[in-house]
Amino acid sequence: MVSQKLHITCSFLSPTMKVSVRVRGEWFAVPCRDGRSTVRWLGEDALRRYLKLKPSTIVSGREEIVFEVRKTQGGAILDPDDNIKDVLNDEDFVSVVLESDKPSPVTAPAEIHYVPEQVPGLFSPPQEYLSLDGNSMSTDDLLNLGNNRYKIRLSKDSLERVTKGREIIDRLLKENKAVYGITTGFGSFARTAIDKDKQCELQENVIRSHASGVGNPLSPERTRMLMALRINVLAKGYSGISPQTLQQVIDAFNANCLSWVPEKGTVGASGDLCPLAHLALGLMGDGKMWSPHTGWGDAKYVLESHNLQPIKLLPKEGIAMINGTQLITALGAEAVERSGIVARQADVVAALSLEVLKGTSKAFDDVLCNQLKTFKRFVHTVARVL
Protein backbone atom coordinates (compact mmCIF):
# COMPACT_ATOMS: atom_id res chain seq x y z
CA MET A 1 0.00 0.00 0.00
CA VAL A 2 1.31 3.43 -0.88
CA SER A 3 2.36 5.30 2.23
CA GLN A 4 0.28 8.41 2.85
CA LYS A 5 1.13 11.15 5.32
CA LEU A 6 -0.03 14.37 6.82
CA HIS A 7 2.57 16.95 7.66
CA ILE A 8 2.17 19.38 10.52
CA THR A 9 4.03 22.66 10.79
CA CYS A 10 3.97 24.15 14.26
CA SER A 11 4.30 27.83 15.06
CA PHE A 12 4.59 28.75 18.73
CA LEU A 13 2.94 32.12 19.22
CA SER A 14 2.32 33.21 22.80
CA PRO A 15 -0.08 32.60 24.41
CA THR A 16 -1.79 30.49 21.70
CA MET A 17 0.09 27.85 19.78
CA LYS A 18 -1.06 27.53 16.18
CA VAL A 19 -0.49 24.57 13.92
CA SER A 20 -0.81 24.32 10.14
CA VAL A 21 -1.80 20.80 9.16
CA ARG A 22 -1.52 19.13 5.77
CA VAL A 23 -3.57 16.01 5.18
CA ARG A 24 -2.92 14.43 1.77
CA GLY A 25 -2.63 17.79 0.08
CA GLU A 26 -5.26 19.61 2.16
CA TRP A 27 -4.22 22.33 4.64
CA PHE A 28 -5.91 23.14 7.95
CA ALA A 29 -5.32 25.71 10.72
CA VAL A 30 -5.46 23.91 14.08
CA PRO A 31 -5.30 25.99 17.30
CA CYS A 32 -3.31 24.16 19.99
CA ARG A 33 -4.09 26.61 22.82
CA ASP A 34 -1.06 26.69 25.17
CA GLY A 35 0.51 23.52 23.79
CA ARG A 36 -0.46 21.45 26.82
CA SER A 37 -2.71 19.20 24.76
CA THR A 38 -1.31 15.77 24.07
CA VAL A 39 0.24 14.46 20.87
CA ARG A 40 -2.70 12.03 20.68
CA TRP A 41 -5.13 14.98 20.67
CA LEU A 42 -3.15 16.69 17.92
CA GLY A 43 -3.30 13.67 15.64
CA GLU A 44 -6.98 13.01 16.28
CA ASP A 45 -8.00 16.65 15.85
CA ALA A 46 -6.12 16.88 12.58
CA LEU A 47 -7.86 13.71 11.39
CA ARG A 48 -11.28 15.07 12.46
CA ARG A 49 -10.80 18.24 10.41
CA TYR A 50 -9.65 16.20 7.43
CA LEU A 51 -12.73 13.96 7.54
CA LYS A 52 -15.03 16.96 7.98
CA LEU A 53 -13.69 18.53 4.79
CA LYS A 54 -14.38 15.33 2.82
CA PRO A 55 -11.64 15.84 0.18
CA SER A 56 -11.24 13.59 -2.84
CA THR A 57 -8.47 11.60 -1.11
CA ILE A 58 -10.89 10.10 1.43
CA VAL A 59 -11.80 6.45 0.81
CA SER A 60 -15.57 6.13 1.25
CA GLY A 61 -16.72 3.73 3.95
CA ARG A 62 -13.27 3.25 5.51
CA GLU A 63 -12.70 4.13 9.16
CA GLU A 64 -9.50 6.11 9.62
CA ILE A 65 -7.50 5.73 12.85
CA VAL A 66 -4.29 7.49 13.87
CA PHE A 67 -1.50 4.92 13.97
CA GLU A 68 1.43 7.02 15.16
CA VAL A 69 2.90 10.53 15.20
CA ARG A 70 6.52 11.05 14.16
CA LYS A 71 8.92 13.96 13.95
CA THR A 72 9.74 14.35 10.29
CA GLN A 73 13.35 15.23 11.06
CA GLY A 74 14.89 11.92 12.02
CA GLY A 75 11.58 10.04 12.08
CA ALA A 76 11.41 9.77 15.91
CA ILE A 77 8.08 8.40 17.13
CA LEU A 78 6.32 10.72 19.60
CA ASP A 79 4.59 9.35 22.70
CA PRO A 80 0.87 10.06 22.27
CA ASP A 81 0.58 10.94 25.99
CA ASP A 82 3.27 13.65 25.88
CA ASN A 83 2.28 17.31 25.82
CA ILE A 84 2.86 19.02 22.48
CA LYS A 85 4.99 21.79 24.00
CA ASP A 86 7.31 19.27 25.65
CA VAL A 87 8.33 17.40 22.51
CA LEU A 88 8.04 19.91 19.65
CA ASN A 89 9.91 23.10 18.91
CA ASP A 90 8.84 26.12 16.94
CA GLU A 91 8.48 25.37 13.21
CA ASP A 92 8.81 21.61 13.75
CA PHE A 93 7.43 19.25 11.12
CA VAL A 94 5.40 16.28 12.30
CA SER A 95 3.97 13.38 10.30
CA VAL A 96 0.79 11.66 11.47
CA VAL A 97 0.51 8.15 10.06
CA LEU A 98 -2.94 6.57 9.80
CA GLU A 99 -3.62 2.87 10.13
CA SER A 100 -4.44 2.80 6.41
CA ASP A 101 -1.14 4.52 5.60
CA LYS A 102 1.02 1.65 6.82
CA PRO A 103 2.73 -0.07 3.87
CA SER A 104 2.00 -3.71 3.21
CA PRO A 105 4.87 -5.95 4.39
CA VAL A 106 4.45 -7.83 1.10
CA THR A 107 4.72 -4.88 -1.28
CA ALA A 108 6.68 -2.28 0.70
CA PRO A 109 9.29 -1.91 3.46
CA ALA A 110 8.14 -2.56 7.01
CA GLU A 111 9.39 0.84 8.16
CA ILE A 112 8.13 4.22 6.98
CA HIS A 113 11.15 6.38 6.26
CA TYR A 114 11.29 10.14 6.73
CA VAL A 115 14.11 12.30 5.41
CA PRO A 116 14.72 15.77 6.90
CA GLU A 117 15.22 17.71 3.69
CA GLN A 118 12.54 20.33 4.34
CA VAL A 119 13.91 23.85 4.08
CA PRO A 120 10.89 26.18 4.50
CA GLY A 121 11.84 29.76 5.20
CA LEU A 122 15.31 29.21 3.73
CA PHE A 123 14.04 28.93 0.17
CA SER A 124 13.07 31.91 -1.97
CA PRO A 125 11.49 31.05 -5.33
CA PRO A 126 12.93 33.01 -8.26
CA GLN A 127 10.93 35.90 -9.69
CA GLU A 128 12.50 36.02 -13.15
CA TYR A 129 11.61 33.75 -16.07
CA LEU A 130 13.80 32.24 -18.75
CA SER A 131 12.00 31.69 -22.03
CA LEU A 132 12.88 28.38 -23.70
CA ASP A 133 12.54 27.75 -27.42
CA GLY A 134 14.46 24.46 -27.65
CA ASN A 135 17.35 25.97 -29.58
CA SER A 136 19.11 28.76 -27.70
CA MET A 137 19.86 27.51 -24.16
CA SER A 138 23.50 27.96 -23.13
CA THR A 139 25.47 26.03 -20.51
CA ASP A 140 25.36 29.15 -18.35
CA ASP A 141 21.56 29.25 -18.68
CA LEU A 142 21.41 25.60 -17.63
CA LEU A 143 23.49 26.13 -14.50
CA ASN A 144 21.38 29.15 -13.54
CA LEU A 145 18.24 27.05 -13.92
CA GLY A 146 19.83 24.32 -11.82
CA ASN A 147 20.73 26.84 -9.13
CA ASN A 148 17.12 28.06 -9.00
CA ARG A 149 17.75 31.53 -10.41
CA TYR A 150 14.96 31.34 -13.00
CA LYS A 151 11.56 29.86 -13.60
CA ILE A 152 10.71 28.53 -17.07
CA ARG A 153 8.15 29.48 -19.67
CA LEU A 154 7.82 28.53 -23.32
CA SER A 155 8.40 30.99 -26.12
CA LYS A 156 5.45 31.69 -28.41
CA ASP A 157 7.00 29.99 -31.45
CA SER A 158 7.89 26.95 -29.34
CA LEU A 159 4.30 26.57 -28.16
CA GLU A 160 3.14 26.69 -31.78
CA ARG A 161 5.62 23.96 -32.79
CA VAL A 162 4.59 21.75 -29.84
CA THR A 163 0.92 22.18 -30.77
CA LYS A 164 1.55 21.27 -34.42
CA GLY A 165 3.65 18.27 -33.40
CA ARG A 166 0.86 16.91 -31.22
CA GLU A 167 -1.68 17.43 -34.03
CA ILE A 168 0.36 15.06 -36.20
CA ILE A 169 0.16 12.34 -33.52
CA ASP A 170 -3.56 12.88 -33.03
CA ARG A 171 -4.11 12.61 -36.79
CA LEU A 172 -2.21 9.32 -36.96
CA LEU A 173 -4.29 7.97 -34.09
CA LYS A 174 -7.51 9.07 -35.75
CA GLU A 175 -6.48 7.34 -38.97
CA ASN A 176 -5.69 4.20 -36.95
CA LYS A 177 -2.33 3.77 -38.64
CA ALA A 178 0.31 1.36 -37.38
CA VAL A 179 2.98 3.50 -35.69
CA TYR A 180 5.79 1.89 -33.72
CA GLY A 181 5.49 2.41 -29.96
CA ILE A 182 2.19 4.27 -30.30
CA THR A 183 -0.32 1.87 -31.81
CA THR A 184 2.06 -1.11 -31.65
CA GLY A 185 4.22 -2.67 -28.97
CA PHE A 186 8.01 -2.36 -28.65
CA GLY A 187 10.85 -4.60 -29.81
CA SER A 188 9.63 -8.09 -30.59
CA PHE A 189 6.06 -6.81 -30.12
CA ALA A 190 6.41 -4.28 -32.94
CA ARG A 191 3.85 -6.22 -35.00
CA THR A 192 1.41 -6.45 -32.09
CA ALA A 193 -1.43 -3.94 -32.38
CA ILE A 194 -2.39 -2.10 -29.20
CA ASP A 195 -6.09 -1.53 -28.56
CA LYS A 196 -7.14 2.11 -28.31
CA ASP A 197 -8.15 1.75 -24.68
CA LYS A 198 -4.66 0.39 -23.85
CA GLN A 199 -2.51 2.94 -25.68
CA CYS A 200 -2.19 5.29 -22.71
CA GLU A 201 -1.43 2.37 -20.40
CA LEU A 202 1.35 1.31 -22.79
CA GLN A 203 3.06 4.67 -22.30
CA GLU A 204 2.72 4.44 -18.50
CA ASN A 205 4.20 0.94 -18.54
CA VAL A 206 7.18 2.19 -20.57
CA ILE A 207 7.95 4.61 -17.75
CA ARG A 208 7.44 2.08 -14.95
CA SER A 209 9.48 -0.65 -16.66
CA HIS A 210 12.48 1.64 -17.17
CA ALA A 211 12.43 3.21 -13.69
CA SER A 212 14.99 0.74 -12.35
CA GLY A 213 17.88 2.91 -11.15
CA VAL A 214 19.78 2.48 -7.90
CA GLY A 215 21.80 4.61 -5.50
CA ASN A 216 21.28 7.96 -3.86
CA PRO A 217 19.10 10.56 -5.56
CA LEU A 218 20.58 13.34 -7.65
CA SER A 219 20.94 16.65 -5.84
CA PRO A 220 18.11 19.16 -6.33
CA GLU A 221 20.42 21.26 -8.53
CA ARG A 222 21.23 18.38 -10.87
CA THR A 223 17.62 17.22 -10.96
CA ARG A 224 16.56 20.73 -11.95
CA MET A 225 19.17 20.72 -14.74
CA LEU A 226 17.94 17.33 -15.95
CA MET A 227 14.35 18.56 -15.89
CA ALA A 228 15.17 21.87 -17.58
CA LEU A 229 17.04 20.14 -20.41
CA ARG A 230 14.14 17.74 -20.97
CA ILE A 231 11.72 20.66 -21.12
CA ASN A 232 14.05 22.37 -23.60
CA VAL A 233 14.13 19.29 -25.85
CA LEU A 234 10.34 18.91 -25.71
CA ALA A 235 10.04 22.63 -26.55
CA LYS A 236 11.46 21.89 -30.00
CA GLY A 237 8.07 20.41 -30.92
CA TYR A 238 9.37 17.20 -32.50
CA SER A 239 8.47 14.70 -29.77
CA GLY A 240 4.67 14.70 -30.11
CA ILE A 241 4.05 15.73 -26.50
CA SER A 242 0.89 17.75 -25.91
CA PRO A 243 1.11 21.41 -24.80
CA GLN A 244 -0.95 20.53 -21.72
CA THR A 245 1.42 17.79 -20.53
CA LEU A 246 4.48 19.92 -21.23
CA GLN A 247 2.98 22.78 -19.23
CA GLN A 248 2.43 20.41 -16.29
CA VAL A 249 6.12 19.50 -16.40
CA ILE A 250 7.02 23.21 -16.45
CA ASP A 251 4.66 23.93 -13.54
CA ALA A 252 6.33 21.18 -11.48
CA PHE A 253 9.76 22.63 -12.29
CA ASN A 254 8.67 26.12 -11.30
CA ALA A 255 7.24 24.77 -8.02
CA ASN A 256 10.48 22.84 -7.32
CA CYS A 257 8.66 19.51 -7.24
CA LEU A 258 11.58 17.22 -8.08
CA SER A 259 11.28 13.48 -8.66
CA TRP A 260 13.56 10.92 -7.02
CA VAL A 261 16.17 10.25 -9.74
CA PRO A 262 18.84 7.70 -8.69
CA GLU A 263 22.44 8.46 -9.58
CA LYS A 264 23.09 5.06 -11.17
CA GLY A 265 21.33 3.35 -14.06
CA THR A 266 21.93 5.31 -17.25
CA VAL A 267 23.39 3.65 -20.34
CA GLY A 268 24.96 6.93 -21.39
CA ALA A 269 24.99 7.80 -25.09
CA SER A 270 22.56 4.95 -25.79
CA GLY A 271 20.02 6.93 -23.78
CA ASP A 272 19.31 8.17 -20.27
CA LEU A 273 16.18 6.03 -20.31
CA CYS A 274 16.37 5.00 -16.66
CA PRO A 275 16.92 8.43 -15.01
CA LEU A 276 14.41 10.08 -17.35
CA ALA A 277 11.90 7.35 -16.48
CA HIS A 278 12.34 8.15 -12.78
CA LEU A 279 11.84 11.83 -13.58
CA ALA A 280 8.59 11.05 -15.40
CA LEU A 281 7.47 8.57 -12.74
CA GLY A 282 7.34 11.25 -10.05
CA LEU A 283 5.47 13.61 -12.36
CA MET A 284 2.91 10.82 -12.86
CA GLY A 285 2.34 10.81 -9.10
CA ASP A 286 4.22 7.54 -8.50
CA GLY A 287 7.41 6.99 -6.55
CA LYS A 288 9.04 9.68 -4.41
CA MET A 289 9.39 13.42 -4.88
CA TRP A 290 11.05 16.32 -3.05
CA SER A 291 10.21 19.95 -2.63
CA PRO A 292 11.69 22.53 -0.24
CA HIS A 293 8.41 22.75 1.66
CA THR A 294 7.58 19.06 2.03
CA GLY A 295 10.90 17.24 1.98
CA TRP A 296 10.77 13.73 0.55
CA GLY A 297 7.32 12.20 0.27
CA ASP A 298 5.01 10.28 -1.99
CA ALA A 299 4.98 12.10 -5.33
CA LYS A 300 1.19 12.33 -5.51
CA TYR A 301 0.93 14.21 -2.23
CA VAL A 302 3.94 16.44 -2.84
CA LEU A 303 2.27 17.55 -6.09
CA GLU A 304 -1.08 18.04 -4.36
CA SER A 305 0.52 20.18 -1.65
CA HIS A 306 1.56 22.58 -4.44
CA ASN A 307 -1.90 22.46 -6.08
CA LEU A 308 -0.55 20.40 -8.99
CA GLN A 309 -2.05 17.31 -10.61
CA PRO A 310 -0.08 14.23 -11.73
CA ILE A 311 0.36 14.06 -15.48
CA LYS A 312 -1.72 11.52 -17.40
CA LEU A 313 0.30 10.36 -20.38
CA LEU A 314 -1.33 10.34 -23.80
CA PRO A 315 -0.24 8.02 -26.62
CA LYS A 316 3.43 8.68 -27.56
CA GLU A 317 4.11 10.80 -24.45
CA GLY A 318 5.87 8.07 -22.48
CA ILE A 319 8.47 7.75 -25.24
CA ALA A 320 8.67 11.55 -25.45
CA MET A 321 9.52 11.79 -21.75
CA ILE A 322 12.40 9.29 -21.70
CA ASN A 323 14.00 9.15 -25.15
CA GLY A 324 17.08 11.34 -24.78
CA THR A 325 20.47 11.93 -23.13
CA GLN A 326 19.65 14.84 -20.86
CA LEU A 327 21.39 13.47 -17.75
CA ILE A 328 24.83 13.05 -19.30
CA THR A 329 24.31 16.36 -21.10
CA ALA A 330 23.45 18.12 -17.84
CA LEU A 331 26.46 16.65 -16.04
CA GLY A 332 28.68 17.45 -19.01
CA ALA A 333 27.46 21.05 -19.10
CA GLU A 334 28.09 21.36 -15.38
CA ALA A 335 31.64 20.04 -15.85
CA VAL A 336 32.29 22.52 -18.68
CA GLU A 337 31.10 25.48 -16.62
CA ARG A 338 33.03 24.39 -13.53
CA SER A 339 36.22 23.86 -15.55
CA GLY A 340 35.76 27.37 -16.99
CA ILE A 341 35.53 28.78 -13.48
CA VAL A 342 38.69 26.92 -12.46
CA ALA A 343 40.50 28.21 -15.57
CA ARG A 344 39.53 31.81 -14.81
CA GLN A 345 40.67 31.42 -11.21
CA ALA A 346 43.99 30.05 -12.45
CA ASP A 347 44.44 33.16 -14.60
CA VAL A 348 43.81 35.37 -11.57
CA VAL A 349 46.37 33.41 -9.55
CA ALA A 350 48.89 33.72 -12.42
CA ALA A 351 48.35 37.49 -12.65
CA LEU A 352 48.73 37.98 -8.89
CA SER A 353 51.84 35.77 -8.84
CA LEU A 354 53.36 37.79 -11.68
CA GLU A 355 52.69 41.00 -9.78
CA VAL A 356 54.04 39.77 -6.43
CA LEU A 357 57.20 38.29 -7.97
CA LYS A 358 57.73 41.47 -10.03
CA GLY A 359 57.76 39.38 -13.17
CA THR A 360 58.05 40.67 -16.72
CA SER A 361 55.19 41.01 -19.17
CA LYS A 362 57.47 40.55 -22.19
CA ALA A 363 56.31 36.95 -22.45
CA PHE A 364 52.90 38.35 -23.39
CA ASP A 365 54.21 40.42 -26.29
CA ASP A 366 51.40 41.32 -28.71
CA VAL A 367 53.17 39.90 -31.78
CA LEU A 368 53.94 36.63 -29.99
CA CYS A 369 50.55 36.12 -28.41
CA ASN A 370 48.15 37.55 -30.97
CA GLN A 371 49.83 37.01 -34.31
CA LEU A 372 52.04 33.93 -33.96
CA LYS A 373 49.92 32.01 -31.44
CA THR A 374 46.36 32.36 -32.65
CA PHE A 375 44.64 29.73 -30.51
CA LYS A 376 41.60 31.63 -29.19
CA ARG A 377 41.70 30.33 -25.63
CA PHE A 378 45.39 31.21 -25.37
CA VAL A 379 44.67 34.75 -26.50
CA HIS A 380 41.80 35.04 -23.99
CA THR A 381 44.04 33.81 -21.17
CA VAL A 382 46.75 36.35 -21.98
CA ALA A 383 44.14 39.13 -22.05
CA ARG A 384 42.82 38.12 -18.63
CA VAL A 385 46.29 37.93 -17.08
CA LEU A 386 47.20 41.36 -18.37
Side-chain angles (χ1 to χ4, degrees), residues 343-355 359-364 369 377-386:
R344 290 190 290 272
Q345 289 174 337
D347 290 342
V348 171
V349 171
L352 291 174
S353 299
L354 190 68
E355 183 72 18
T360 177
S361 61
K362 290 182 179 180
F364 306 109
C369 296
R377 296 301 181 187
F378 178 80
V379 174
H380 291 166
T381 296
V382 169
R384 280 199 296 263
V385 171
L386 295 178

Side-chain angles (χ1 to χ4, degrees), residues 61-350:
R62 185 174 68 187
E63 182 182 5
E64 299 287 7
I65 301 173
V66 175
F67 173 64
E68 64 186 16
V69 181
R70 290 175 176 254
K71 292 193 69 174
T72 304
Q73 184 169 359
I77 300 175
L78 301 180
D79 189 322
D81 294 324
D82 282 342
N83 291 335
I84 297 171
K85 66 181 181 64
D86 293 334
V87 293
L88 298 178
N89 296 318
D90 191 24
E91 300 299 332
D92 264 349
F93 284 77
V94 180
S95 296
V96 178
V97 183
L98 305 180
E99 284 282 354
S100 58
D101 293 338
K102 293 188 298 180
S104 165
V106 176
T107 59
E111 292 292 331
I112 301 172
H113 298 286
Y114 298 89
V115 187
E117 274 89 355
Q118 293 157 309
V119 289
L122 302 178
F123 171 79
S124 298
Q127 301 301 314
E128 295 184 60
Y129 283 82
L130 184 66
S131 183
L132 297 186
D133 59 10
N135 300 308
S136 57
M137 179 191 287
S138 66
T139 53
D140 186 57
D141 290 335
L142 182 59
L143 256 68
N144 283 328
L145 288 166
N147 290 324
N148 198 43
R149 295 191 178 125
Y150 296 107
K151 292 182 178 180
I152 287 176
R153 62 185 171 202
L154 290 182
S155 65
K156 183 178 179 180
D157 60 330
S158 173
L159 182 58
E160 291 175 353
R161 292 196 304 269
V162 171
T163 301
K164 290 179 180 178
R166 185 62 209 180
E167 289 173 351
I168 294 173
I169 301 298
D170 291 339
R171 186 171 67 249
L172 292 172
L173 290 169
K174 187 177 180 179
E175 295 171 354
N176 200 30
K177 290 188 175 181
V179 184
Y180 179 79
I182 302 178
T183 60
T184 76
F186 299 95
S188 60
F189 296 101
R191 296 184 180 276
T192 301
I194 306 299
D195 294 337
K196 287 186 177 181
D197 61 346
K198 296 291 186 181
Q199 290 171 359
C200 292
E201 184 180 354
L202 174 68
Q203 301 302 310
E204 294 172 354
N205 288 340
V206 166
I207 300 299
R208 295 189 177 105
S209 65
H210 284 76
S212 55
V214 295
N216 295 323
L218 295 175
S219 67
E221 293 78 15
R222 287 180 170 178
T223 306
R224 283 175 60 87
M225 287 196 294
L226 171 65
M227 201 169 178
L229 270 180
R230 194 63 210 161
I231 291 171
N232 190 60
V233 168
L234 296 174
K236 292 176 178 291
Y238 303 140
S239 68
I241 197 167
S242 68
Q244 295 79 14
T245 299
L246 180 53
Q247 187 58 52
Q248 283 184 279
V249 179
I250 293 172
D251 290 341
F253 177 90
N254 290 342
N256 259 291
C257 293
L258 308 177
S259 303
W260 175 288
V261 181
E263 292 176 333
K264 301 175 183 178
T266 181
V267 289
S270 294
D272 290 322
L273 301 175
C274 176
L276 287 170
H278 280 281
L279 180 69
L281 190 69
L283 296 170
M284 290 165 54
D286 294 336
K288 299 296 181 182
M289 181 174 275
W290 178 91
S291 85
H293 298 291
T294 65
W296 287 108
D298 294 326
K300 177 181 178 180
Y301 299 114
V302 174
L303 289 169
E304 285 183 356
S305 71
H306 291 81
N307 296 316
L308 300 175
Q309 294 295 320
I311 62 176
K312 296 185 181 299
L313 296 176
L314 299 174
K316 177 63 170 72
E317 291 189 330
I319 306 172
M321 289 297 295
I322 69 172
N323 199 9
T325 56
Q326 279 63 60
L327 178 60
I328 60 174
T329 303
L331 298 181
E334 180 186 32
V336 167
E337 285 296 313
R338 290 178 65 181
S339 63
I341 292 171
V342 171
R344 290 190 290 272
Q345 289 174 337
D347 290 342
V348 171
V349 171

